[in-house]
Amino acid sequence: MNQFINKKVIFQDLGRKDYRETWDYQEQLFAAIVSAKIANRQQEPTLQQITENYLLFVEHPHVYTLGKSGKPENLLLDEAGLKKHQASFYPINRGGDITYHGPGQLVGYPILDLDNFFTDIHRYLRYLEEAVIATIGDYGLEAGRIEGLTGVWLDHVRQQNPRKICALGVKSSRWVTMHGFAFNVNVDLRYFEHIVPCGIRDKAVTSLHVELGRAVDASEVKTRLKGHLARIFEMELLDIAVPQEKRERSSDF
């Protein structure tokens, strides 16, 4: 348990950024927080330092990622197919199976010391889902959860045509989190045809713009989602401008 609780969260919008570069940046922030926690254990309680928290928003070029428990055969493209579709592929150290990231998708990476909030990974995942569910609700759509499946879904009650709109996959060590969620806002869904999304063969994938029948203002979605995350986690978001050299380019999806 932290001696000093810090609910302030540094928010950074990275624009459109390469997946590998963003992963390295996450690892850097994650390692710094873990190191600070280890150092604090060597200090008297009154001398311990607060640990920082981050929330990154980013949009990636086309990329497929495979979690630790995933099956490589759930990627349906070979190396030539990846090149044809201008997509890259990375096995990574989060939970979950395979997923897609690309233009039009809002990816969120909370790098939080949960000792500043609550030490419960199940609750953490449900809170991330709840923020996305509330954001979708702002657009007049009812989204929710399906028992036994992580993520956010449309038609989650009757399940006549359940459709995943947001995938989750996280890693945690010493109660510090990384990786996060991928929320389909204005996504080209054809890219999901080249994988078995999250290893689930009998359910579809959707995007907010498909459900609404129109393109969606990405900046508005970001603002709404940030507000719901701040409310649900009882965090204070501090907007920190990202130096231009750290941004590949800004994007409004």
Side-chain angles (χ1 to χ4, degrees), residues 28-253:
Q28 173 189 332
L29 299 176
F30 176 85
I33 298 171
V34 171
S35 294
K37 295 191 75 170
I38 292 172
N40 275 343
R41 292 186 177 184
Q42 313 303 317
Q43 297 288 346
E44 295 292 329
T46 57
L47 298 177
Q48 292 181 6
Q49 302 297 309
I50 64 169
T51 53
E52 292 187 319
N53 309 287
Y54 295 86
L55 173 62
L56 310 179
F57 277 2
V58 66
E59 178 192 60
H60 294 305
H62 302 297
V63 61
Y64 297 102
T65 67
L66 182 70
K68 293 183 296 182
S69 59
K71 298 178 180 179
E73 57 266 30
N74 286 334
L75 174 63
L76 307 179
L77 295 175
D78 58 14
E79 189 171 339
L82 288 169
K83 185 175 181 179
K84 177 182 177 181
H85 291 89
Q86 299 181 312
S88 51
F89 169 71
Y90 294 103
I92 59 175
N93 60 355
R94 62 160 169 78
D97 205 288
I98 196 163
T99 194
Y100 162 77
H101 301 308
Q105 186 183 73
L106 173 51
V107 181
Y109 296 127
I111 307 165
L112 308 179
D113 179 3
L114 290 183
D115 269 321
N116 288 321
F117 300 92
F118 48 80
T119 50
D120 184 332
I121 290 296
H122 178 80
R123 180 179 172 188
Y124 171 68
L125 290 169
R126 301 295 81 78
Y127 274 19
L128 293 180
E129 291 169 345
E130 189 59 36
V132 175
I133 290 168
T135 302
I136 294 169
D138 290 339
Y139 291 89
L141 298 174
E142 182 181 357
R145 305 175 183 87
I146 294 178
E147 186 176 355
L149 300 176
T150 301
V152 177
W153 300 78
L154 278 297
D155 190 21
H156 61 290
V157 178
R158 299 180 68 185
Q159 296 186 40
Q160 294 182 330
N161 179 27
R163 309 175 297 285
K164 177 177 271 192
I165 196 168
C166 181
L168 272 73
V170 304
K171 171 189 173 182
S172 171
S173 177
R174 297 180 185 268
W175 295 114
V176 181
T177 68
M178 65 177 290
H179 300 299
F181 59 86
F183 178 17
N184 298 334
V185 179
N186 292 304
V187 175
D188 182 350
L189 296 177
R190 291 175 296 181
Y191 275 82
F192 286 96
E193 296 173 3
H194 307 303
I195 60 172
V196 180
C198 301
I200 302 170
R201 295 182 177 274
D202 61 345
K203 292 180 175 60
V205 177
T206 192
S207 178
L208 187 59
H209 81 289
V210 171
E211 299 297 328
L212 295 177
R214 61 176 174 83
V216 184
D217 184 334
S219 60
E220 179 183 81
V221 174
K222 291 177 183 178
T223 298
R224 291 181 181 278
L225 182 53
K226 282 171 61 182
H228 289 304
L229 286 167
R231 171 181 57 82
I232 292 168
F233 280 87
E234 298 181 347
M235 61 174 61
E236 178 185 354
L237 288 174
L238 308 176
D239 282 36
I240 304 297
V242 181
Q244 193 61 37
E245 62 270 19
K246 288 188 176 292
R247 298 171 63 101
E248 183 171 323
R249 70 172 178 84
S250 297
S251 174
D252 198 34
F253 296 150

